[in-house]
């Protein structure tokens, strides 16, 4: 059974610091990896995706993929109060009709 | 608004009633996915549909739940004879393609409350 594991948190970081969110997955054949942000009572919003081993940067966000360790992370630099949300890691394995599998999410709290 | 549209936003039903949740995918998208989310839980896959076809319903309970995506109109998730345990947020997502790298975009969800 395909599983995606995340630490539920809450993870508390001071404003301006770096937040580091982690995720592991069980299916070694997984090929696509996504990070979604979900504010309380709202829908998940796609913020990052990564397909290749290594780092991918987009503004204050960096996604990291380590296939050998089956590990994904999301770094948020210069954390802002508005970054406080639950971050969901999602993994997709081939074939194309396999559903996206989500972790339970990590709650991030950025404190002033 | 070209995003994924879900309605109603909130739905209250008494035990034993039927619940119908609707989803219109993003313009240009022909693949629809339904997920359920319980408090403090992640998103659980229920069913994946393309127009007029159910591709994968492995996450949907065999009884009382059904889904369709007709040639015309929105996708419908139908729950018959609802029970308190069906209370959850139901999210619909759509994609343009079934490719492995295809991204999913979510609607605002329907919060179902069963009294």
């Amino acid at each position: 059974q395909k599983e995606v594991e995340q630490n539920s948190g809450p993870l508390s970081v001071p404003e301006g610091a770096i937040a580091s969110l982690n995720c592991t997955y069980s299916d070694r054949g997984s090929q696509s990896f996504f990070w979604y942000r979900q504010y309380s009572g709202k829908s998940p919003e796609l913020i990052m995706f990564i397909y290749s081993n290594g780092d991918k940067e987009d503004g204050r966000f960096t996604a990291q993929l380590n296939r050998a360790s089956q590990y994904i992370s999301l770094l948020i630099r210069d954390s802002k109060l508005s970054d406080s949300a639950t971050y969901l890691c999602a993994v997709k394995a081939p074939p194309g009709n396999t559903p996206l599998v989500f972790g339970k999410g990590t709650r991030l709290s950025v404190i002033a | 608004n070209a995003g994924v549209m879900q309605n109603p936003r909130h739905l209250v039903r008494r035990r034993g009633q039927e619940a119908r949740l609707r989803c219109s995918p993003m313009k240009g998208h022909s693949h629809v996915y339904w997920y359920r989310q319980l408090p403090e839980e992640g998103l659980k896959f229920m069913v994946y549909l393309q127009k007029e076809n159910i591709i994968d319903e492995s996450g949907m309970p065999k009884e009382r739940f059904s889904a369709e995506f007709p040639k015309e109109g929105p996708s419908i998730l139908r729950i018959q004879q609802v029970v308190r345990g069906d209370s959850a947020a139901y999210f619909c997502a759509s994609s343009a393609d079934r490719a492995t790298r295809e991204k999913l975009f979510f609607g605002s969800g329907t919060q179902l409350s069963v009294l």
Side-chain angles (χ1 to χ4, degrees):
Chain A
Q1 184 174 348
K2 300 180 176 70
E3 291 185 352
V4 178
E5 300 287 341
Q6 290 182 259
N7 187 324
S8 62
L11 173 67
S12 294
V13 299
E15 201 174 2
I18 296 176
S20 177
L21 303 153
N22 307 312
C23 175
T24 59
Y25 59 95
S26 63
D27 188 340
R28 191 168 282 278
S30 298
Q31 292 193 354
S32 306
F33 308 88
F34 305 85
W35 282 99
Y36 284 80
R37 177 177 62 199
Q38 186 174 27
Y39 291 111
S40 182
K42 302 295 185 183
S43 61
E45 172 194 10
L46 180 65
I47 55 171
M48 286 290 288
F49 55 91
I50 185 166
Y51 307 134
S52 305
N53 234 18
D55 294 2
K56 179 182 177 184
E57 187 174 318
D58 183 1
R60 295 186 297 112
F61 298 94
T62 298
Q64 298 174 317
L65 171 61
N66 183 327
R67 287 186 185 276
S69 301
Q70 295 176 233
Y71 177 90
I72 319 142
S73 65
L74 178 70
L75 299 178
I76 306 174
R77 287 180 299 282
D78 187 24
S79 295
K80 303 185 184 306
L81 297 177
S82 58
D83 293 329
S84 297
T86 296
Y87 290 80
L88 302 167
C89 168
V91 173
K92 188 168 174 61
N97 56 352
T98 304
L100 200 57
V101 179
F102 284 83
K104 290 187 177 181
T106 298
R107 192 151 46 96
L108 172 66
S109 179
V110 180
I111 50 181
Chain B
N1 187 344
V4 180
M5 302 299 292
Q6 283 189 254
N7 65 82
R9 190 78 174 85
H10 301 277
L11 182 61
V12 180
R13 285 287 178 266
R14 296 190 181 280
R15 280 180 295 170
Q17 291 184 319
E18 178 181 287
R20 282 190 179 226
L21 289 63
R22 287 176 290 277
C23 169
S24 294
M26 192 176 284
K27 189 176 182 180
H29 287 189
S30 59
H31 301 254
V32 166
Y33 307 77
W34 285 94
Y35 283 80
R36 177 164 64 177
Q37 187 174 41
L38 291 165
E40 306 304 319
E41 294 286 323
L43 288 158
K44 298 295 185 186
F45 168 76
M46 298 183 72
V47 61
Y48 163 34
L49 311 102
Q50 285 180 257
K51 284 285 187 182
E52 300 185 279
N53 284 306
I54 296 176
I55 307 301
D56 182 351
E57 55 183 347
S58 59
M60 196 160 65
K62 295 286 187 287
E63 297 180 356
R64 301 189 298 109
F65 286 72
S66 62
E68 62 176 6
F69 189 14
K71 187 176 180 181
E72 301 291 336
S75 174
I76 305 285
L77 179 66
R78 183 181 176 206
I79 311 172
Q80 295 178 289
Q81 299 171 1
V82 296
V83 299
R84 290 228 170 98
D86 296 332
S87 296
Y90 291 83
F91 288 98
C92 168
S94 73
S95 68
D97 193 87
R98 66 196 287 172
T100 306
R101 292 187 172 191
E102 197 59 39
K103 308 171 196 61
L104 293 192
F105 296 92
F106 283 84
S108 54
T110 293
Q111 181 63 51
L112 173 65
S113 298
V114 180
L115 304 178

